Amino acid sequence: MESTFQIFLILLAALAGTALLARRIDVAPAILLLLAGIALAFVPGMPTVELPPQLVLLVFLPPLIYSASVAMSWREFKANLRPIILLSVGCVIFTACAVATATHYLIGLPWGIGFLLGAIVAPPDVVAPLAIARKLGMPRRILVVLEGEGLANDATALILYRFAVAAITTGLFSLPKAEGTFAAIVVGEILFGLAVGWLSLRARHHARDPQIEITLSLLTPYLAYWIPEHLGGSGVIATVTCGLYISWNGPLLISSATRLQGIFFWDLVIYLVEGMLFLLTGFQMRLLYEKSKAFPLHDILLTTVLVAVIIIVARFAWVYPATYLPRLISKRIRERDPPPSWQTVFVVGFTGVRGAVSLAAALALPFTLPGGEAFPYRDMILFVAFGVILITLVGLGLGLPTVVRWLGVAKDGRSEHLREHEAEIAARREALDAALKSLDAITDDRELSDEVVKLLRARHEIRANQLPSSLDPDAHDITAAGTALTRELIAAERKFIHILLRDGKITDETRRRIERDLDLEEASLSNREYRRIVM
């Protein structure tokens, strides 16, 4: 128990240090965390840490999926449903079939093993490429499509994975039955996810206590995931559906106190879960290295490189026809959704980074068949899955910024971000105008004192004056200067409050209440900052 806790502390220290280094050298933290995990695994005296597959599939995966789906806009998800489904369902199945075909004819793997390996390495991970893409300022639609794909592709891959394992262990497979089961799982999980989302929001609304509501929010993804998974589904579709439902319906039912505390809580949870996941994935290298000695090194490396090349080529072979063929076939799609540039499609194809879910699925393979024989090719599948993660995460992850700059995709993103900021300022002003009209109506209907009305109007004027008149450089500089000076004034106020506390003129409880108001004001400044966008 003590050694386990020591390893946990070492991982926390490695997580913090690696994340700090990643920020300094401007590299996606997931890449350095994976490499740091590999390095730690071979440190003399470091015990072997085997990543329990259920830890990822049942403990780590639900909150990651739920948090991402809550952050996703249901309107944008629905508007991009066609490309998301084509990638998360079509591309995953196409990739799995491509891997099965290539490994069967080029290496001689049985069809069932090849298809199982394909299902394991088919779904791209969304964490690392999205972190890079957001930092590069890419167009929002690319981010929405990639994030939507990352939410749904695990479900397709895990369902295919279950079919493949069942076919290998029983020796039986029926395509019509598999298709019917797939459809039943999708429909059933969507309905179950909606029910869990509805139940969670009502329970949290009636709780009216931030601590209880946040606890219920933490239980929600596990309820949505575990029950369908236990019944033979994937659990992913239900969790995504639940998160999207809460994202769309939650703002009017969740209190402001819960939102403020919940954002901090979930940001910390996801930061720790993602970081630990990549570190623990890297830790598996030592275990896989020891197991790989039972196989000829040349065969393992050849298989790993072949599978990595196949999944990269298969993604490019899928994204271009999937993007342009629907528009060639349907005039309605072509008019409603003009075709994107080939550069945009190339970036989507280039972001096929694999992650810890692939390794967890490989680790979850049974050790033996029902008859007692060893599960065929299990250790080889483990090594290939890890090798594909390493090659794609480091190779594609490090190359993505160069590709984006080379293709000039970020230029479209910058103009798009400028329009979004202008729309945001307009929306804030319109909301303030609506509030002012509401104040006028309340003043006419109720007998309010002049002091109360003056106070409310002054609050309105202060908030209106904090908004920049536009995003041109001069207005930006004025707003930025005002924000910087406000921060200085808040810092002076904090210092004075500390002096009062030191001199015994106020209590610690008073100081905490004042500091909370100052913290909220400073957070509000950060939320309203409009960075200059260079065209």
Side-chain angles (χ1 to χ4, degrees):
M1 182 66 182
E2 184 178 350
S3 61
T4 303
F5 186 67
Q6 289 174 349
I7 293 174
F8 176 72
L9 292 179
I10 291 173
L11 291 176
L12 277 182
L15 171 59
T18 305
L20 182 61
L21 178 62
R23 180 178 296 181
R24 280 183 170 274
I25 63 176
D26 198 23
V27 172
I31 298 174
L32 291 187
L33 287 169
L34 181 68
L35 297 176
I38 296 173
L40 284 174
F42 289 95
V43 171
M46 182 68 69
T48 301
V49 179
E50 185 169 2
L51 182 61
Q54 300 306 315
L55 185 68
V56 174
L57 295 180
L58 296 181
V59 179
F60 284 177
L61 193 58
L64 289 176
I65 296 173
Y66 175 76
S67 175
S69 56
V70 170
M72 166 71 74
S73 164
W74 163 244
R75 185 182 62 183
E76 293 178 336
F77 184 87
K78 184 173 63 173
N80 293 280
L81 194 58
R82 176 177 46 81
I84 288 173
I85 290 179
L86 286 172
L87 285 172
S88 61
V89 179
C91 190
V92 168
I93 295 175
F94 178 74
T95 303
C97 293
V99 171
T101 303
T103 53
H104 176 73
Y105 286 110
L106 297 179
I107 299 178
L109 289 182
W111 277 107
I113 297 297
F115 192 76
L116 174 62
L117 179 59
I120 289 172
V121 299
D125 181 75
V126 72
V127 176
L130 267 185
I132 300 171
R134 289 194 180 99
K135 190 179 297 184
L136 294 172
M138 287 164 54
R140 179 155 185 80
R141 189 176 188 190
I142 295 181
L143 301 179
V144 171
V145 170
L146 291 176
E147 192 169 7
E149 178 197 9
L151 287 175
N153 62 11
D154 289 338
T156 306
L158 291 176
I159 293 172
L160 295 178
Y161 168 84
R162 292 182 186 279
F163 289 159
V165 171
I168 293 170
T169 54
T170 63
L172 301 173
F173 180 76
S174 170
L175 182 59
K177 184 178 179 181
E179 290 175 345
T181 303
F182 186 90
I185 288 174
V186 171
V187 174
E189 290 199 22
I190 289 175
L191 295 176
F192 183 75
L194 290 173
V196 172
W198 182 89
L199 180 64
S200 174
L201 277 182
R202 268 60 192 179
R204 292 165 63 180
H205 182 63
H206 289 298
R208 297 185 180 277
D209 183 290
Q211 283 74 33
I212 298 175
E213 292 183 60
I214 292 172
T215 303
L216 290 173
S217 76
L218 184 60
L219 293 173
T220 298
Y222 293 107
L223 176 62
Y225 186 95
W226 282 357
I227 293 179
E229 196 276 340
H230 180 70
L231 296 176
S234 72
V236 175
I237 299 174
T239 309
V240 170
T241 305
C242 175
L244 288 172
Y245 179 88
I246 290 176
S247 171
W248 185 253
N249 296 281
L252 299 179
L253 295 174
I254 299 174
S255 66
S256 59
T258 300
R259 253 194 306 273
L260 289 171
Q261 296 182 40
I263 289 173
F264 168 78
F265 172 82
W266 275 101
D267 283 348
L268 179 61
V269 167
I270 298 306
Y271 169 76
L272 293 176
V273 168
E274 287 178 350
M276 287 294 181
L277 199 51
F278 281 106
L279 275 175
L280 288 172
T281 300
F283 252 91
Q284 306 313 295
M285 185 59 189
R286 179 174 169 184
L287 180 67
L288 296 173
Y289 173 75
E290 294 171 354
K291 289 184 177 182
S292 68
K293 296 177 181 178
F295 296 90
L297 182 61
H298 177 268
D299 293 346
I300 293 180
L301 294 178
L302 177 63
T303 305
T304 303
V305 173
L306 174 65
V307 172
V309 170
I310 290 298
I311 65 171
I312 293 172
V313 173
R315 185 170 176 86
F316 279 105
W318 176 267
V319 294
Y320 277 98
T323 300
Y324 295 114
L325 276 180
R327 293 172 171 86
L328 291 175
I329 296 172
S330 172
K331 181 180 179 181
R332 185 174 63 87
I333 294 177
R334 190 167 58 250
E335 292 176 348
R336 180 171 52 88
D337 187 12
S341 65
W342 71 267
Q343 293 95 331
T344 298
V345 181
F346 189 92
V347 170
V348 173
F350 196 83
T351 52
V353 174
R354 271 50 181 180
V357 173
S358 295
L359 185 62
L363 287 167
L365 290 173
F367 289 96
T368 59
L369 298 175
E373 307 92 343
F375 193 92
Y377 298 94
R378 186 182 189 276
D379 291 340
M380 187 205 72
I381 291 174
L382 275 171
F383 192 91
V384 172
F386 183 88
V388 168
I389 293 171
L390 183 62
I391 291 172
T392 56
L393 182 59
V394 176
L396 298 182
L398 290 178
L400 183 58
T402 302
V403 169
V404 170
R405 285 192 290 267
W406 177 56
L407 296 177
V409 175
K411 293 179 181 178
D412 297 332
R414 285 194 288 270
S415 59
E416 181 182 90
H417 296 326
L418 178 62
R419 291 193 298 271
E420 285 185 6
H421 286 316
E422 289 176 342
E424 179 184 340
I425 294 173
R428 287 181 182 272
R429 290 196 178 279
E430 290 172 7
L432 287 172
D433 291 342
L436 183 58
K437 292 178 182 178
S438 178
L439 175 60
D440 293 337
I442 292 173
T443 304
D444 294 337
D445 293 341
R446 305 177 194 177
E447 294 183 1
L448 300 178
S449 65
D450 293 340
E451 289 76 12
V452 172
V453 175
K454 288 180 180 178
L455 179 64
L456 292 174
R457 290 189 180 278
R459 170 186 176 273
H460 176 273
E461 291 177 2
I462 290 172
R463 295 185 64 197
N465 291 334
Q466 287 175 336
L467 293 175
S469 56
S470 67
L471 289 179
D472 63 80
D474 293 336
H476 177 277
D477 291 340
I478 294 172
T479 305
T483 301
L485 288 173
T486 303
R487 282 202 171 94
E488 288 187 32
L489 296 177
I490 291 174
E493 197 170 343
R494 286 187 199 279
K495 185 176 180 181
F496 183 75
I497 293 300
H498 180 73
I499 294 174
L500 293 179
L501 174 69
R502 186 188 60 192
D503 295 343
K505 295 181 179 179
I506 59 173
T507 63
D508 279 284
E509 187 64 28
T510 300
R511 185 260 304 172
R512 291 190 187 98
R513 285 197 296 267
I514 297 174
E515 277 192 341
R516 175 174 171 79
D517 288 340
L518 295 175
D519 291 342
L520 290 174
E521 186 178 357
E522 194 165 2
S524 178
L525 287 175
S526 299
N527 192 46
R528 289 197 305 268
E529 275 186 315
Y530 302 92
R531 57 187 177 83
R532 179 182 295 181
I533 301 174
V534 181
M535 299 304 295

